[in-house]
Amino acid sequence: MTTESKKWLRFRLATLLLCFLVLFIALITRAFQIQVLNGQSLKVRADRQHTTTLRSESERGIVFDRNGEKLAASIMADSVCADPSKVVNLEETARKIASILDLDQGTILKKFSGSKNFCWIARKITPDQAALVEKVDLDGIFLIKEPKRFYPNGELAGHLIGFVGLDAKGLEGLELKYDDYLKGAPEKLTWTRDAKGKRLYPRVEYAGGQPKESTNLILTIDNRIQHLVESQLKEAVKAKGAKGGLAVVMDPKTGEILALANELGFDPNTFSKSGAAKGKNKVITDCFDPGSTFKPFLAAGALEEGVVKETDRFYCENGKYAIADRVIHEAQRKRHGYLAFSDIIKYSSNIGSVKVSERLGKEKFYQYITKFGFGAKTGIDLPGETAGLLRPVQNWTRVDAATIAFGQGISVTAIQLITALSAIANQGVLMKPYIVRGLVDKKGQIVKKYAPTPVRQVISPRTAKRLTAIMTSVVGDADGTGKNARIVNVNVAGKTGTSQKFDFARRAYSSERVRTSFMGFFPAEDPQVAILVILDEPQRDKWGGVASAPVFKNIAEQILTCFKTNIRENPVFEEEKINRDMKIKLVSAVPVITRHKAAPGDMEEASMPDFRGMTIRDALRKAREKGIELNVSGNGWAVSQVPAPGVAIAELRYCTVSFSTGN
Amino acid sequence: MIEQTSEEKRPDIILLVITLILVTVGTAMIYSSSSILAMERFKDAQYFLKKQILFVLLGLSIMVLLTKFDYHRLKRWAYPGIALSVILLMLIFVPHVGIRAGGARRWLNLVLFSFQVTEMVKICIVLFLAHYLTRKVNYITTFSRGILIPLLVTLFIIVLIALEPDFGTAVIMALIMMLMLYLSGSRLRHLAVLVAFLIPAAVWMVVFKSYRLERLKVFLNPWNDPGNKGFQIIQSLLSFGSGGTFGVGIGDGMQKLFYLPEPHTDFILSVIAEESGFLGVAIVIFLFGVLVVRGFFISFKAPDLFGTLLAAGLTMVIALEAFINIAGVMGLIPLKGLTLPFLSYGGTSLIMSLVAVGILLNISSHERS
């Protein structure tokens, strides 16, 4: 080998080495490019394939009545969905699914073709259907658990609670109003997965920074009263051949709604079938001419202003009183001569009322109407409330001023009416009506408490008392229009009403189509319950005193007998004798604490007593003293309790105590 | 040809250290990348690790033996080696003896383990070419007496390999042949004519087998069909990308969880890239670079032409394989299905790479004074 050739060999080696070095430098450059320069965007793509995210609606909060009964709850229901890309035989699968779910095969096939990787087949199917779907085990068809809203009591308080849509969103009633609280934040589940889709280590991430659980609602509604009101109303509507009816029970001292019923009933479980219009809560959405039930508010104004005394006598024109171009008659064409002011209310004289309103003056009268809350929303925590119709006083003609005196030419809602009535019952203080007492979290801790809200002092307590006395005579006196609402041993204050519906076709008030109503409260000395009953177009007994007063009476009787047993003497319910059983839920009426009554001292006493070591009997006695509802489990001696002793208890007093015999 | 005087020296320590580092890194990364796969397939997370350790021990032993084995005595194996290669390559086509996997027959079934013939053939070809070209160095510029014979032999073997089919290895063989012809001093005109014949052949093979055309298309635009055809290269790129500069940590990679098709063989570098980042990849490429430089230095300093050609040929085999694999997983060239020397799982590949290092070490111990 010559030196020359050796040199050439070395040269060729060097060129090759150089080539390879260039190639390797190219490799490092490329690595730098895809890892450092473009690394982030590739990493985002990689992370996307490594993680799966599932948004799941958190379980919707429960709606409880004031005693802890569930009115609305969520249960997990199965939904069928499909991944059409994984379905082996579309036709066959669609046919099988269709037969199980009772659906049309064509629609399912359309759904398959409509999406690539996911489609719903049927939402929230029954457990039986779910079991069948699981059994046939078709490729690409799977079940997903979704919370389904369930209303255990069916129609009970259906209008009030409202309903939720398919995607667990409140659409009506409380479900809508308190949707934000009930729904919580949707849970966002993120987990890492391998390429086969296997979950590696799940971790739960919430959509918003702070995990927001859904909260439960505690209503002011007492489901037992609600049930009784609904059944009484239903019966009355049927018996009188009415188109429908409304009834509201309210605690006049606090503004709490104890029961609120619409007839015809409405079952939120099947809202999609019955139609949402049926679910309208007419108590707050519909307004109507109040008729004679409006007279007490006129009287209140007149008494408060001192323009009349109970004994002032008014000439009632013998049943015919011409004002401008209009002649006012008494109801049922009665004729009255001179009537004392209190008798005008008792006999419900239209002409007398007109005379009182003339004496009061329309400006003053208007002022009291607005002070009682008419013409404005009450602010009840339900969606869709209307304000009624109250024309400004400047626009009132003489006829208007006269007819409004007996409740014609003004539109009010049922909730306005009972709220105003409650003001009379509550020493002249108008309370804001409300339906949710509080929000509690999943552990039963109070998140938010709604206290009774006084709106304003409408009339003085003295006036309220005087008016109550007049209204008591409406029911109590043998010749009062409300005598059908009389209850033994209890003084009821009330007022009947029959309002003719305005016939838009004839542009006149119809005498055939009427709304009969009765509103009242008891006991007159210390009113605890206010009730309003309205029947819409009863075919028989078209007068409030005959049609609605008995419904009021029935409801009141049962409330007195079963729930408000302290109002009148009743046989006392011996609790201890039946509480020998292990699992008994002691139910006691929750003491009503109004705002002014709740002194700071009360709160200190309101801490959870220590039940541990007590027998069931002792624990129950102690609980009753403290006004706490006890949930008893086990037998023997108390070993543990939730909440723990010493925990502050507010208005919601529940305690679960576990007992053990110690072996 | 007169042999130059040479004295026994210590073999190239840098080459040895680099080899050992690469083998160690490879073994560790094989465990990291294959444990989940092994768990799923064989219910034994260390399945591939154990086998690889066995091969490492076997390969290192052979390497040590070859370090002590005078490379001049390898000349005797040049012709038998080619004969053996041809026989084994033909045996592959015998059913049950050759193992078919993924549409190609590349392995010989040796009952206990499978043997990838082409890995051995590469070494044999380099040995044969080094020996033959050294013998014919004086006629190298003439076509018929100089390069016709090695050309025919090599082309025959390349055709056999291409029939397996193993297009990637065939290309490597052709490249090695040309580079060695170039090194030994063939006329560039001859090589140009050769290239002019080989390129149309390669193009014809690409077009003839439609999947190769597909692969080419995928290479040109992998994001066209990320779920299917572009899946492998995209997953590899995602691995590199998620590694970033410093990686997610050894063992913490996600891509080996069935996203990468063969995380412990062809795509071992993707796993390294994800778990140790650009830093790890740069180190690996740098190590290969140093290895290639050392190999060429050994070739430079080899006492005779045979040593020079043999050393350069073996170095280039390793360098080309490494380049094709690395460039493939990084999306620079189409994926070829070639392993990464020293790092990828695979007994034959590892042992043959270590054999090459062993021969190189022996040549390095015969350096000219």
Side-chain angles (χ1 to χ4, degrees), chain A residues 1 6 8-17 20-21 23-36 38-43 45-47 49-51 192-196 198 200-201, chain B residues 4 40 179 182-185 223 235 237-238 240-242 244-245 248 254-255 257-259 273 277-278 281-282 285 288-289 292-293 296 299-300 305 308 312 316 319-320 323 326-327 330-332 368:
Chain A
M1 223 172 152
K6 253 184 209 165
W8 274 109
L9 181 63
R10 287 186 171 197
F11 169 74
R12 290 191 292 261
L13 269 175
T15 54
L16 281 184
L17 177 57
F20 277 108
L21 286 182
L23 289 178
F24 278 88
I25 287 166
L27 290 182
I28 293 194
T29 316
R30 171 68 171 171
F32 184 77
Q33 186 213 341
I34 58 176
Q35 293 200 269
V36 181
N38 293 347
Q40 209 48 46
S41 66
L42 287 167
K43 191 178 173 61
R45 285 186 89 112
D47 285 346
Q49 75 176 0
H50 294 161
T51 53
T192 322
R193 59 177 199 134
D194 66 14
K196 298 181 175 175
K198 206 166 87 185
L200 295 177
Y201 29 89
Chain B
Q4 299 218 335
E40 174 141 314
L179 292 176
Y182 165 71
L183 264 187
S184 61
W223 303 98
Q235 289 306 331
L237 288 175
L238 290 183
F240 275 84
S242 34
T245 311
V248 299
M254 281 295 304
Q255 286 290 104
L257 299 170
F258 313 108
Y259 292 100
F278 171 68
V281 174
I285 296 174
F288 273 111
V292 170
V293 170
F296 272 95
S299 171
F300 258 122
L305 186 61
T308 302
M316 287 190 298
L320 274 177
F323 176 79
I326 296 173
M330 293 199 300
L332 277 178
R368 279 170 305 183

Side-chain angles (χ1 to χ4, degrees), chain B residues 19-314:
Chain B
T19 308
L20 291 178
I21 293 175
L22 284 173
V23 169
T24 311
V25 168
T27 313
M29 291 317 292
I30 283 164
Y31 183 42
S32 169
S33 57
S34 72
S35 57
I36 302 280
L37 192 73
M39 198 64 204
E40 174 141 314
R41 279 193 205 159
F42 305 103
K43 302 271 171 260
D44 176 9
Q46 284 98 29
Y47 178 83
F48 290 111
L49 177 70
K50 285 175 187 162
K51 284 184 84 170
Q52 185 72 5
I53 287 175
L54 194 71
F55 293 135
V56 167
L57 293 176
L58 191 64
L60 287 178
S61 317
I62 295 173
M63 183 183 84
V64 170
L65 282 178
L66 283 168
T67 309
K68 295 287 161 203
F69 186 83
D70 189 352
Y71 72 93
H72 295 105
R73 287 160 71 190
L74 287 171
K75 284 179 183 171
R76 263 189 273 157
W77 293 92
Y79 299 125
I82 283 296
L84 184 66
S85 296
V86 171
I87 292 167
L88 289 181
L89 281 173
M90 285 175 148
L91 264 180
I92 277 181
F93 294 98
V94 178
H96 304 298
V97 180
I99 300 172
R100 178 179 278 275
R105 293 170 177 278
R106 293 184 186 176
W107 293 271
L108 269 188
N109 188 359
L110 295 186
V111 188
L112 279 177
F113 55 93
S114 49
F115 183 74
Q116 197 167 3
V117 180
T118 47
E119 296 292 339
M120 190 201 77
V121 174
K122 281 178 221 164
I123 306 254
C124 290
I125 289 231
V126 169
L127 181 59
F128 164 74
L129 287 175
H131 176 53
Y132 191 87
L133 294 174
T134 308
R135 273 186 59 201
K136 301 281 179 188
V137 72
N138 294 328
Y139 311 103
I140 202 77
T141 48
T142 55
F143 186 77
S144 54
R145 290 191 68 178
I147 62 174
L148 184 63
I149 299 297
L151 205 59
L152 286 177
V153 170
T154 318
L155 283 177
F156 178 63
I157 286 175
I158 287 173
V159 167
L160 281 179
I161 290 172
L163 282 175
E164 279 187 13
D166 188 348
F167 191 65
T169 308
V171 169
I172 284 192
M173 298 286 188
L175 279 171
I176 291 288
M177 177 187 75
M178 309 250 283
L179 292 176
M180 288 195 69
L181 285 175
Y182 165 71
L183 264 187
S184 61
S186 310
R187 280 172 185 269
L188 288 177
R189 186 154 36 99
H190 290 160
L191 288 174
V193 171
L194 198 57
V195 169
F197 274 103
L198 281 176
I199 283 184
V203 168
W204 178 78
M205 280 182 76
V206 166
V207 178
F208 174 67
K209 284 284 182 188
S210 60
Y211 71 89
R212 292 200 183 106
L213 203 63
E214 286 290 340
R215 272 194 199 174
L216 200 67
K217 281 183 193 160
V218 165
F219 162 68
L220 292 173
N221 195 353
W223 303 98
N224 257 355
D225 189 5
N228 196 9
K229 288 168 193 150
F231 185 76
Q232 294 195 354
I233 184 61
I234 282 177
Q235 289 306 331
S236 179
L237 288 175
L238 290 183
S239 305
F240 275 84
S242 34
T245 311
F246 300 106
V248 299
I250 304 298
D252 284 346
M254 281 295 304
Q255 286 290 104
K256 61 195 181 193
L257 299 170
F258 313 108
Y259 292 100
L260 282 170
E262 293 285 324
H264 58 307
T265 60
D266 296 4
F267 289 96
I268 188 96
L269 192 72
S270 308
V271 177
I272 294 173
E274 191 191 7
E275 300 191 349
S276 61
F278 171 68
L279 206 65
V281 174
I283 288 173
V284 167
I285 296 174
F286 175 75
L287 287 174
F288 273 111
V290 175
L291 188 133
V292 170
V293 170
R294 290 316 297 177
F296 272 95
F297 268 45
I298 290 166
S299 171
F300 258 122
K301 292 182 179 171
D304 50 16
L305 186 61
F306 175 63
T308 302
L309 287 179
L310 188 59
L314 292 173

Side-chain angles (χ1 to χ4, degrees), chain A residues 602-639:
Chain A
D602 285 1
M603 296 312 283
E604 273 188 26
E605 207 186 81
S607 64
M608 193 56 75
D610 192 349
F611 293 109
R612 287 172 300 187
M614 293 184 183
T615 60
I616 295 180
R617 181 175 299 213
D618 289 341
L620 285 171
R621 188 180 298 133
K622 179 93 179 174
R624 197 171 41 175
E625 277 170 24
K626 292 268 184 180
I628 295 166
E629 281 190 23
L630 216 55
N631 245 326
V632 176
S633 68
N635 58 350
W637 290 271
V639 288

Side-chain angles (χ1 to χ4, degrees), chain A residues 111-265:
Chain A
K111 279 178 178 170
F112 281 163
S113 59
S115 72
K116 234 176 167 178
N117 295 317
F118 181 87
C119 64
W120 292 107
I121 302 291
R123 304 285 291 272
K124 293 161 190 174
I125 57 172
T126 65
D128 295 346
Q129 289 176 324
L132 281 172
V133 171
E134 200 147 0
K135 210 172 133 198
V136 293
D137 190 24
L138 296 158
D139 284 326
I141 301 287
F142 48 98
L143 293 169
I144 286 183
K145 290 254 182 228
E146 278 192 296
K148 178 188 183 180
R149 206 56 167 163
F150 178 63
Y151 304 92
N153 296 306
E155 289 190 359
L156 190 82
H159 288 91
L160 196 65
I161 299 167
F163 49 85
V164 298
L166 211 50
D167 288 307
K169 185 166 167 38
L171 294 181
E172 184 62 90
L174 289 169
E175 297 274 29
L176 169 62
K177 186 81 181 177
Y178 287 90
D179 197 35
D180 283 347
Y181 295 102
L182 285 168
K183 75 179 179 208
E187 255 184 352
K188 200 172 156 196
L189 284 155
T190 309
W191 63 78
T192 322
R193 59 177 199 134
D194 66 14
K196 298 181 175 175
K198 206 166 87 185
R199 201 185 298 192
L200 295 177
Y201 29 89
R203 55 181 197 270
V204 179
E205 273 176 14
Y206 292 91
Q210 273 288 319
K212 190 182 153 226
E213 266 199 337
S214 61
T215 44
N216 298 337
L217 292 188
I218 310 269
L219 304 188
T220 60
I221 297 292
D222 185 319
N223 82 317
R224 302 162 306 174
I225 300 180
Q226 176 75 25
H227 179 257
L228 133 77
V229 169
E230 282 184 15
S231 49
Q232 287 294 340
L233 186 65
K234 186 176 225 134
E235 206 171 281
V237 165
K238 211 167 166 190
K240 309 288 182 199
K243 251 172 70 179
L246 304 173
V248 187
V249 181
M250 191 170 182
D251 183 335
K253 289 182 176 169
T254 59
E256 289 176 312
I257 307 290
L258 299 176
L260 189 155
N262 281 244
E263 185 65 29
L264 308 160

